[in-house]
Amino acid sequence: MRLYMKFFSMHMKSQMQYKLSFFLTMIGQFLVSFAILLSLYFMMSRFNVVMGFTYEQVLLCFASVLMGYSLAEMLGRGFDLFPRMLGNGEFDRALVRPRSVITQVLASKMDFTRLGRILQAAFVFIYAVPKSGVIWTRDKILTLFLMVICGSLVFFGLFIVYAAFSFFTVEGLEFMNILTDGGREFGRYPYAIYGEGILKFLTYFVPLALFQYYPLLYLLDIEKSKLYMFTPLLSLIFLLPAYAFFQYGVRKYKSTGS
């Protein structure tokens, strides 16, 4: 953990060397997400409700998914850029160092310009939380916290899967963007609106719905069972096969000779 924090500080200092570039890029990230928020606003102003969910309730979905994804992308950027690490031979050096490969990849790149998206998600929460109609008790505050943190870890798991495919294809597979970027984009609405088949897929295979849709039902008192409160924790099971797949790729890895 101490080593990781040193890398964290190093990346922060290096990116802050060009402060204007850093803040302009961060503002750009904020504005890109703001455009998505505007599209959501115009859609909901036209139809008012989606499957019984109001605009402010949909915003809870949007903010929790956006913040979870942005945290994962900011701190797990090394896995998103992992194909480059394979191609330039840097991964070969990681294998002979006396530290975990996962830690080294994780610490190889952090992108703090994603704070722009995190900031926007925080603003959306500030607006939506008091207007969503949720009666905020301690267990519901905990539920919202679990939605964000577990969502971030699930997206992090998807980045690990993306990196693991690179062992067999050298370059990353673009279809994974359907689950990472696509999961973020489609997550602006409750996942149930895309149909029963999609909801089952996002429940049992790629558990995006476990940290977004089901705990939302608990927040809104549509479901009273405490199981819905803890469904975000169930989504963390996804990290086990993601990690196993990456380790399998490490065992099968053959150096590019770079």
Side-chain angles (χ1 to χ4, degrees):
M1 188 63 181
R2 184 183 302 173
L3 177 63
Y4 178 78
M5 293 309 298
K6 286 183 178 179
F7 275 105
F8 185 96
S9 175
M10 179 185 70
H11 284 295
M12 175 63 79
K13 289 177 181 177
S14 67
Q15 292 177 39
M16 289 301 292
Q17 289 300 309
Y18 302 94
K19 293 182 176 60
L20 180 61
S21 175
F22 176 84
F23 285 111
L24 287 177
T25 305
M26 191 174 76
I27 291 170
Q29 292 289 335
F30 181 93
L31 293 177
V32 168
S33 298
F34 186 72
I36 298 171
L37 181 61
L38 279 180
S39 69
L40 177 61
Y41 170 76
F42 290 129
M43 181 69 71
M44 293 301 296
S45 64
R46 176 69 176 84
F47 295 102
N48 298 319
V49 296
V50 175
M51 288 187 64
F53 297 100
T54 67
Y55 173 57
E56 289 78 12
Q57 292 166 356
V58 170
L59 285 180
L60 289 179
C61 294
F62 171 81
S64 60
V65 171
L66 178 62
M67 183 168 285
Y69 177 87
S70 301
L71 284 170
E73 191 178 33
M74 180 177 72
L75 299 176
R77 187 67 169 164
F79 287 98
D80 193 25
L81 301 176
F82 186 70
R84 187 183 305 171
M85 192 175 184
L86 287 180
N88 63 19
E90 187 179 345
F91 186 68
D92 292 354
R93 294 194 293 271
L95 289 174
V96 298
R97 290 170 181 158
R99 293 290 180 178
S100 164
V101 171
I102 291 284
T103 301
Q104 293 185 66
V105 177
L106 183 63
S108 65
K109 179 66 176 176
M110 300 176 195
D111 190 351
F112 294 103
T113 61
R114 268 48 183 181
L115 287 169
R117 292 180 182 175
I118 295 173
L119 185 62
Q120 181 176 118
F123 285 151
V124 173
F125 272 132
I126 291 171
Y127 172 79
V129 163
K131 294 180 177 292
S132 60
V134 176
I135 301 173
W136 293 102
T137 55
R138 280 185 290 184
D139 60 334
K140 291 188 176 179
I141 294 172
L142 175 61
T143 302
L144 188 62
F145 177 79
L146 290 175
M147 289 171 69
V148 173
I149 298 303
C150 294
S152 178
L153 291 172
V154 170
F155 279 118
F156 179 69
L158 287 172
F159 286 134
I160 292 178
V161 172
Y162 170 81
F165 273 116
S166 302
F167 287 115
F168 308 100
T169 62
V170 181
E171 294 294 332
L173 296 179
E174 288 300 318
F175 84 88
M176 284 298 299
N177 290 334
I178 299 173
L179 302 176
T180 53
D181 294 337
R184 181 198 66 203
E185 294 296 314
F186 292 126
R188 73 183 76 173
Y189 300 104
Y191 286 123
I193 74 168
Y194 302 110
E196 184 177 353
I198 297 296
L199 182 60
K200 286 182 178 179
F201 177 78
L202 296 179
T203 300
Y204 300 110
F205 295 97
V206 182
L208 300 178
L210 288 180
F211 72 80
Q212 189 243 45
Y213 175 65
Y214 297 108
L216 180 68
L217 298 181
Y218 181 77
L219 290 180
L220 301 177
D221 291 321
I222 298 173
E223 295 289 348
K224 302 288 187 178
S225 173
K226 292 284 186 180
L227 288 176
Y228 285 82
M229 173 184 174
F230 293 108
T231 52
L233 295 177
L234 292 177
S235 69
L236 300 184
I237 296 173
F238 177 72
L239 295 176
L240 297 177
Y243 176 77
F245 184 38
F246 185 84
Q247 290 298 108
Y248 176 75
V250 171
R251 291 195 297 270
K252 295 296 182 180
Y253 170 69
K254 295 181 180 179
S255 174
T256 59
S258 300

